[in-house]
Amino acid sequence: MASPRLKYLSLGVLVFQTTSLVLTMRYSRTLQAEGPRYLASSAVVVAEMMKILACVLLVFKEHNYSVRALNSILRQEIAHKPIETLKLAIPSGIYTLQNNLLYVALSNLDAATYQVTYQLKILTTALFSVSMLGRRLGVYQWLSLLVLMAGVALVQWPSESAAAPEKDAPPPGSQLVGVAAVLVACCSSGFAGVYFEKILKESKQSVWVRNIQLGLFGLVFGLFGMLAYDGERALGGLVIAAVIKYADNILKGFATSLSIILSTLISYFLLQDFNPTGVFFMGAILVIAATFLYGYEGRAAPNPSRA
Ligand code: C5P
């Protein structure tokens, strides 16, 4: 980045963005009073989509809002340069892991402890910059890294207030999980950041195109992560969305009651771990009858206001 104005503007925006991100993540994962929690893995996927969209818009703007130019840049720089694009798979995979770990951390640590501990990424970044980019650090810089480590250690020191946890404090034991997640995230942050810097500085490709490449892999990895950890819930959510669109919410209720009966029957006939009673069969018949009845009524009188 050549101009100092852009340098300080980007740093200023980063301060604002990090502060609001941490507070909203922490709030939405722990303090949010009511309602179901969103899946952290799906938040990571949505964030990747937003980043790709923003970068595509920036490339579009850079080429005077020409759709043709945008199309050709995306083809030339991404699709026709598979090796260059593949290089981004490494930092992207690591960032995806990191972004998921930070949710684990913020679900288990308060925002302040999380942020101070996460500052250890400065140390890991410095170590990777020295080893991978050949950067040299001065005495004061090494000294500052030692002070940093001491500070983080002090923040982690068990305090008296830990004996009497406050109302919203995470349950005991989860502190360790939170700190472990932050420490792994510090290593990944250092490595992925320096690797990305190396890629950016060794080629002339635009930073936005590089980010689209990064984001595309992030999206793929994020989707895999979401399917692996929350697949049933995430895809279940999609199916529910489809049912609401193509059928309606009441039919959705009937469908899920039918599924209870179905799973019970399967466990009776195939798994043989359930013995249904006569009452169960009565209930089952009522549910199936109600489902058909509802569908029949729906067809006979599509517009209830006319009935
Ligand atoms: O804490 P750290 O600085 O490592 O956080 C980097 C964050 O910025 C990650 O969430 C990563 O996904 C994101 N990132 C990005 N595009 C880049 C570099 C990092 O979205 N080019």
Side-chain angles (χ1 to χ4, degrees), residues 112-187:
T113 308
Y114 157 84
Q115 267 187 309
V116 176
T117 313
Y118 195 33
Q119 284 306 92
L120 268 187
K121 71 181 176 182
I122 300 178
L123 173 72
T124 55
T125 307
L127 295 179
F128 283 115
S129 299
V130 168
S131 56
M132 288 167 63
L133 298 176
R135 192 160 290 161
R136 295 186 149 263
L137 300 184
V139 177
Y140 286 113
Q141 286 170 313
W142 284 115
L143 198 64
S144 74
L145 292 175
L146 287 180
V147 175
L148 169 78
M149 282 197 291
V152 171
L154 281 183
V155 167
Q156 292 302 327
W157 214 260
S159 66
E160 276 177 26
S161 65
E166 43 180 304
K167 192 172 129 271
D168 292 320
S174 57
Q175 173 97 6
L176 193 65
V177 174
V179 172
V182 180
L183 292 182
V184 177
C186 286
C187 295

Side-chain angles (χ1 to χ4, degrees), residues 2 31 44 55 109 113 122 124 141 148-149 188 226 246 261:
L31 304 178
V44 170
C55 293
L109 297 175
T113 308
I122 300 178
T124 55
Q141 286 170 313
L148 169 78
M149 282 197 291
S188 83
M226 189 175 82
Y246 299 113
I261 294 169

Side-chain angles (χ1 to χ4, degrees), residues 48 51 95-96 98-99 102 118 121 185 189-190 196 211 214:
E48 292 298 344
K51 276 191 293 194
Y95 272 141
T96 308
Q98 176 181 329
N99 289 337
L102 294 185
Y118 195 33
K121 71 181 176 182
S189 167
F196 188 69
N211 271 299
L214 190 75

